[in-house]
Amino acid sequence: MLRTAFNFIRYDRPKSIGALAGIVISVFLVGQQAGIFIFLTDAMKSIVANNSGYIWVTDETTTNANQVSPLDVRIGQEIASLPGVERVYPVVIGAGGAKFANGTTGGFSVVGSQAPDFVGGPWRLYTAKPGDMLPEGAVITDFYDSKALGGLQPGDYFEINGKKVYNAGLTRGTRSFGGGLLAFTTIERARYLTNFRSDRVSFYLVKQKAGIVPDSVIRAINRSINGVRAWEAAVLAETTVNTVLATNGIAASFGSLIGFAIISGLVIIGLTLYSAAIDRIKDYGTLKAIGATNGYVSKLILSQALLFALVGYAVGRGMVEGFRQGIAQSGTLFFFPLWFEFALFFVTLFIALGGSLFAIRRINSLEPATVFRG
């Protein structure tokens, strides 16, 4: 069957190339849009996902980890006094306007964490160690942000909010969503650079004692302390993504583009296979006249669609991988989860096999006798 289907494909190469191109374009567009969407959603929950081993304590109104309301430092002492709590780590995030040696300007979200553990950041360390933030004026920036920061290199001096600092080292791939670029330093320096009040923190990260389940600590915090909410990290990450997606058109935009890519693929391969079937209608009629059933002819057309799907998926997926590696050079990093690989393959099969139904319906309605009428 596959050999016969392959011969049919070879018979009309222009239309076969057209059908294959339709699948390749659809696979590429679906993969490209899905990849960018994964990058954006990863950025939305980046700070939570990179501190997932802790219980998060935020203001009770917070549903987006990128936009938190400051908490009183005394709340940290209350949390530390609760049973089951081993350690409480304060984190400060403030905005900073930067000016670089070549005159360019930029903006940072300055993340401050407490020495010596530096829980809360930095993460994805590249050339720096957390201890590099200890010397006076030291901050850590990201490798991919160098161009946006006036060509900033390790060791270079610059200003944040008019205060002199230097680039103590690099992370690689720390991204944020809607908060500008990230710079990491000690909690005291972050307060100084961003004029953050000394009696406030942005949020707390809580470590429970060994053998204590996080849920019991979360319930104790929510029950005992007013004005705050304790979160399991995974729940806050999911809530953050849902909040961001609900307040803008990102999901609708990417969803519609992916939908149109699938529909376009269905239309292209549907029309191409239908046109090819019309061109070879005498061949199909001859097959039916010598005893081929509608089931056999349907399998023959589906086999052609399957071959298009396999080759189209391989080429399209290769193009998506090239795109992924290409934009990774600029810091747009994303990775496809395993479920997406299966989903993309099944979408490819849906486009190819679904598009072939137009041709199958036409051939199934063909009367074999029409072949002999000239």
Side-chain angles (χ1 to χ4, degrees):
M1 178 66 73
L2 287 177
R3 178 182 292 275
T4 304
F6 180 67
N7 289 332
F8 266 72
I9 291 173
R10 283 203 312 170
Y11 178 78
D12 193 352
R13 291 183 180 177
K15 285 189 171 59
S16 298
I17 292 173
L20 186 61
I23 294 177
V24 170
I25 292 171
S26 295
V27 170
F28 176 73
L29 290 177
V30 171
Q32 180 202 42
Q33 295 301 317
I36 298 298
F37 184 74
I38 290 172
F39 168 75
L40 291 176
T41 53
D42 284 348
M44 294 172 194
K45 60 184 180 183
S46 172
I47 191 168
V48 185
N50 285 284
N51 291 284
S52 59
Y54 301 89
I55 296 167
W56 280 66
V57 180
T58 66
D59 175 81
E60 62 180 348
T61 62
T62 294
T63 57
N64 179 354
N66 303 295
Q67 296 177 346
V68 294
S69 299
L71 298 174
D72 194 295
V73 292
R74 290 171 292 185
I75 290 175
Q77 299 167 3
E78 292 184 61
I79 297 172
S81 68
L82 294 174
V85 173
E86 179 178 316
R87 186 77 183 272
V88 179
Y89 301 94
V91 179
V92 163
I93 300 179
K99 183 176 181 180
F100 304 97
N102 63 0
T104 60
T105 58
F108 281 115
S109 286
V110 182
V111 181
S113 55
Q114 197 171 45
D117 300 306
F118 296 108
V119 173
W123 56 88
R124 296 194 179 189
L125 291 167
Y126 182 43
T127 66
K129 303 184 295 295
D132 292 340
M133 296 187 296
L134 290 174
E136 185 62 32
V139 299
I140 292 176
T141 63
D142 191 77
F143 171 82
Y144 292 111
D145 295 337
S146 175
K147 289 183 179 178
L149 302 178
L152 187 68
Q153 298 297 318
D156 288 351
Y157 283 83
F158 61 103
E159 293 180 355
I160 294 180
N161 290 340
K163 298 158 186 171
K164 189 175 182 181
V165 295
Y166 75 95
N167 189 14
L170 301 171
T171 57
R172 190 181 178 104
T174 57
R175 323 310 289 166
S176 67
F177 181 82
L181 311 180
L182 293 177
F184 299 93
T185 188
T186 63
I187 192 168
E188 295 82 6
R189 191 170 302 118
R191 283 192 173 107
Y192 167 70
L193 293 175
T194 63
N195 300 317
F196 202 98
R197 287 177 55 174
S198 59
D199 61 347
R200 294 287 187 273
V201 302
S202 296
F203 55 85
Y204 287 103
L205 297 176
V206 179
K207 189 70 176 178
Q208 74 275 8
K209 291 180 179 176
I212 302 296
V213 295
D215 284 351
S216 65
V217 177
I218 290 173
R219 285 195 299 271
I221 294 172
N222 290 333
R223 186 174 56 245
S224 307
I225 303 175
N226 293 326
V228 303
R229 180 173 179 181
W231 301 78
E232 186 180 341
V235 176
L236 179 57
E238 181 180 356
T239 303
T240 295
V241 172
N242 291 338
T243 298
V244 176
L245 292 180
T247 53
N248 56 51
I250 291 177
S253 175
F254 281 91
S256 60
L257 288 172
I258 290 173
F260 278 119
I262 295 173
I263 293 172
S264 299
L266 276 170
V267 171
I268 290 173
I269 193 170
L271 291 178
T272 305
L273 289 180
Y274 183 83
S275 175
I278 295 300
D279 288 349
R280 283 172 276 169
I281 200 160
K282 287 189 176 181
D283 298 326
Y284 286 113
T286 301
L287 283 173
K288 296 179 74 170
I290 63 177
T293 64
N294 281 340
Y296 177 87
V297 175
S298 298
K299 289 179 182 177
L300 180 60
I301 295 174
L302 287 172
S303 297
Q304 295 175 57
L306 179 62
L307 291 174
F308 284 132
L310 294 176
V311 177
Y313 174 80
V315 176
R317 183 64 184 84
M319 291 172 63
V320 171
E321 184 60 20
F323 169 77
R324 189 187 72 81
Q325 294 187 11
I327 64 174
Q329 304 302 316
S330 61
T332 306
L333 306 173
F334 63 85
F335 300 93
F336 291 115
L338 184 60
W339 66 263
F340 177 80
E341 300 286 2
F342 286 107
L344 184 59
F345 181 69
F346 282 112
V347 165
T348 308
L349 289 178
F350 172 74
I351 292 173
L353 300 180
S356 69
L357 295 180
F358 299 100
I360 290 174
R361 185 175 180 181
R362 176 65 184 91
I363 297 302
N364 282 348
S365 64
L366 176 66
E367 289 294 334
T370 58
V371 177
F372 305 106
R373 292 173 188 161

